[in-house]
Amino acid sequence: MEQEVEDAARSTPRRLYVDLRDRILDGSLAGGQPLRQEELAARYGVSRSPVREALRQLEADGLVTYQANRGAVVSSVSLADALEMLEIRIALECRALRLAIPLMTDQDLAGIAAVLDAYGAAHDVTDWGRLNRDFHLALYAPADRPRLLALIQDNFDNAHRFARVQVSNATGRDRPHREHQDLFRACREGDIDAAVQMLEAHIAYSQKALAATVRRGPAERRGVAGAGAGGHGN
Amino acid sequence: MEQEVEDAARSTPRRLYVDLRDRILDGSLAGGQPLRQEELAARYGVSRSPVREALRQLEADGLVTYQANRGAVVSSVSLADALEMLEIRIALECRALRLAIPLMTDQDLAGIAAVLDAYGAAHDVTDWGRLNRDFHLALYAPADRPRLLALIQDNFDNAHRFARVQVSNATGRDRPHREHQDLFRACREGDIDAAVQMLEAHIAYSQKALAATVRRGPAERRGVAGAGAGGHGN
DNA sequence: TATTCCCATATTGCATCCAATCCTGGGGCG
DNA sequence: CGCCCCAGGATTGGATGCAATATGGGAATA
């Protein structure tokens, strides 16, 4: 999970795992879609054995659901799941930010500011998504807690499987940009409590926006993460 | 992860996965120990294919580390890892508690009280560990956030791979018991902020106790989780 | 005696193969 | 006309076999 570039070249199951995971997270593979072993094996030019190992890893990540004798299906993300993952974002990221702020160097702050500027200059909605991710991860990186950061990253990507497009459309770019700038200022001034407060409100707002968006027009969401009508995913 | 009883019977890889995971978490399989595919296959009376799938799942959980062409070894947990997992406990469990308290019914409170009483009556150190786990999980269960609770459970078990014996020995039973009782009272009275504060202090104390114990006598810890001297685990 | 090279062995990685289970469609029966 | 059943294909689950890589120990050499 940490060193994808090297790992991708390492073993076949790893390569398949990384590729499939990315395709699930970016929505290329929608929730509910069955993953046929033979088909994947053919696509990657390997046999079914490494495919099965990759699928098991995806299952452990909760990105794929196994049904007995019926193979693997891309797991669906319900609205409740997405809201809960944002809840988890609050838990993990607020703590990480609290740990990070006292350790931020000038270099760290400059890096964060650069991401912020790029965000302000970006026009494409996919750039917003990427830069939003970069901004948040850059905030927490100074904490130097590899496990916590890995958890944050996994949960962030998973949360945004469902929420990316909707939230971006619902809230636009300006409000998060303002909030990011405020957050950055609080970090720079070392005001931990204020920064954590802002971050919580920032994520909580996207929870509300997501709930509101889905309630208004839930049709779209099925396309993104498959949104299981009944059971909530994995 | 949720329904182990049914899952254990379901598929062979699942059965192996659950069993191996339990053996790693309870320390039967120490960190650094290589897991030979052939040997595991023989032990469980199956071929290497399902063994490999189970190992891949354990790898995704971070309980096992793969080395290219050298197979899987039980991942080691350094002191820094253990402290970080306690940090993650603070993040996840404080949030879960905050969500749970407003939703606690009289029945929930009665259940928590029962665990607390059992803790007070227990004499064995392994009972303390189990009841400590039960107490904490019972606190968060009313939040009714399945993903959050699953994360908490996984992280809790992983954290205690390293810390269980040491912390129990270092802090004894009385102090955590008192803290649990205080925490319970705050929950019953609906004092969210106080309860969360206490929980954070409770876990932070075990961080300090763990660090102190290891610094005093680090010899023992190698036996529990294998404690990699150099690189920190997965 | 220390060191390096090399080969035998152990082990993994992956492909292939067979058995078991699931799904689909068509014919038989009520 | 509708329902049930079952046969054939599709798909998964697991075992086996073979090639590739790592490991360990002994012989040859400096």
Side-chain angles (χ1 to χ4, degrees):
Chain A
M1 201 69 78
E2 293 87 43
Q3 328 120 306
E4 269 144 46
V5 184
E6 304 92 310
D7 285 352
R10 213 188 278 181
S11 74
T12 306
R14 194 69 171 203
R15 189 161 45 87
L16 305 192
Y17 165 73
V18 170
D19 195 61
L20 286 171
R21 193 198 54 184
D22 290 348
R23 291 170 61 80
I24 292 172
L25 289 177
D26 76 8
S28 308
L29 291 170
Q33 171 153 358
L35 297 172
R36 306 251 172 275
Q37 298 173 7
E38 196 85 50
E39 178 184 331
L40 294 174
R43 162 197 277 275
Y44 292 103
V46 297
S47 83
R48 280 171 45 216
S49 318
V51 170
R52 295 179 56 129
E53 292 182 28
L55 291 176
R56 287 294 182 187
Q57 285 191 291
L58 292 168
E59 185 197 15
D61 286 348
L63 295 178
V64 144
T65 304
Y66 255 80
Q67 294 170 346
N69 287 320
R70 293 180 44 182
V73 176
V74 178
S75 63
S76 298
V77 180
S78 68
L79 174 60
D81 285 324
L83 294 176
E84 194 179 343
M85 288 190 272
L86 291 174
E87 199 68 53
I88 294 170
R89 279 196 58 191
I90 292 174
L92 294 173
E93 296 182 24
C94 285
R95 187 75 193 172
L97 183 62
R98 188 175 288 281
L99 295 169
I101 290 177
L103 300 174
M104 284 180 183
T105 65
D106 288 347
Q107 211 169 8
D108 291 325
L109 288 167
I112 297 168
V115 176
L116 213 43
D117 289 345
Y119 190 94
H123 296 293
D124 187 1
V125 69
T126 73
D127 287 337
W128 296 356
R130 185 176 45 78
L131 289 165
N132 177 53
R133 182 179 189 276
D134 290 347
F135 171 74
H136 281 275
L137 294 181
L139 277 183
Y140 319 133
D144 194 32
R145 298 288 205 285
R147 287 174 172 270
L148 178 57
L149 293 180
L151 261 186
I152 286 173
Q153 201 169 312
D154 286 353
N155 181 67
F156 186 102
D157 292 337
N158 219 337
H160 286 54
R161 252 178 94 191
F162 187 101
R164 191 183 305 113
V165 176
Q166 283 73 16
V167 170
S168 293
N169 287 343
T171 69
R173 182 191 55 173
D174 291 343
R175 177 177 176 129
H177 189 41
R178 271 201 318 276
E179 291 180 348
H180 285 175
Q181 286 171 321
D182 293 343
L183 191 45
F184 173 68
R185 266 190 293 275
C187 292
R188 196 178 47 198
E189 291 162 17
D191 191 342
I192 298 179
D193 290 331
V196 169
Q197 194 95 6
M198 285 181 201
L199 178 59
E200 175 172 345
H202 176 64
I203 301 174
Y205 180 78
S206 74
Q207 274 186 317
K208 294 189 201 90
L210 174 62
T213 305
V214 171
R215 215 166 295 129
R216 266 184 289 145
E220 266 183 276
R221 82 191 153 109
R222 307 192 67 91
V224 175
H232 39 81
N234 60 330
Chain B
M1 199 69 80
E2 295 85 43
Q3 328 120 307
E4 268 146 46
V5 184
E6 304 92 310
D7 285 351
R10 212 189 276 179
S11 74
T12 304
R14 193 69 168 202
R15 188 162 47 88
L16 306 192
Y17 165 73
V18 169
D19 195 63
L20 286 171
R21 193 199 53 186
D22 290 348
R23 292 169 61 82
I24 293 172
L25 289 177
D26 77 8
S28 308
L29 291 170
Q33 171 154 356
L35 297 172
R36 305 253 172 272
Q37 298 172 6
E38 197 83 51
E39 178 183 330
L40 294 174
R43 162 197 278 275
Y44 292 102
V46 297
S47 83
R48 281 170 45 216
S49 318
V51 170
R52 292 176 58 101
E53 292 183 28
L55 290 176
R56 286 295 182 187
Q57 285 191 292
L58 291 168
E59 185 197 17
D61 286 348
L63 295 178
V64 145
T65 304
Y66 255 81
Q67 295 171 345
N69 287 320
R70 292 181 44 182
V73 298
V74 178
S75 64
S76 298
V77 179
S78 69
L79 174 61
D81 285 324
L83 294 176
E84 193 180 342
M85 289 190 271
L86 291 174
E87 199 66 54
I88 294 170
R89 278 196 60 191
I90 292 175
L92 294 174
E93 297 182 23
C94 284
R95 187 74 194 173
L97 183 62
R98 189 175 287 282
L99 295 169
I101 290 177
L103 299 174
M104 284 180 183
T105 65
D106 288 346
Q107 210 170 10
D108 291 326
L109 288 167
I112 298 168
V115 176
L116 214 42
D117 289 344
Y119 190 93
H123 296 294
D124 186 1
V125 70
T126 73
D127 287 338
W128 297 355
R130 184 175 46 78
L131 289 165
N132 178 53
R133 182 180 188 275
D134 289 347
F135 171 75
H136 280 277
L137 295 182
L139 276 183
Y140 319 133
D144 194 32
R145 298 287 205 284
R147 287 174 171 269
L148 178 57
L149 293 180
L151 261 186
I152 286 173
Q153 200 170 314
D154 286 353
N155 181 68
F156 186 102
D157 292 337
N158 219 337
H160 286 55
R161 251 178 94 192
F162 187 100
R164 190 184 304 113
V165 176
Q166 282 73 16
V167 169
S168 293
N169 287 342
T171 70
R173 182 190 57 171
D174 292 343
R175 178 179 176 127
H177 189 40
R178 271 201 317 278
E179 292 181 347
H180 286 175
Q181 286 172 322
D182 293 344
L183 190 44
F184 174 67
R185 267 191 292 276
C187 292
R188 196 178 46 198
E189 290 161 17
D191 191 342
I192 298 179
D193 289 331
V196 169
Q197 194 95 3
M198 285 179 199
L199 178 59
E200 175 172 344
H202 176 65
I203 301 174
Y205 180 78
S206 74
Q207 274 186 317
K208 294 190 202 90
L210 174 62
T213 304
V214 172
R215 216 165 293 129
R216 265 183 290 146
E220 268 184 273
R221 83 190 153 108
R222 306 192 67 92
V224 175
H232 38 82
N234 60 330

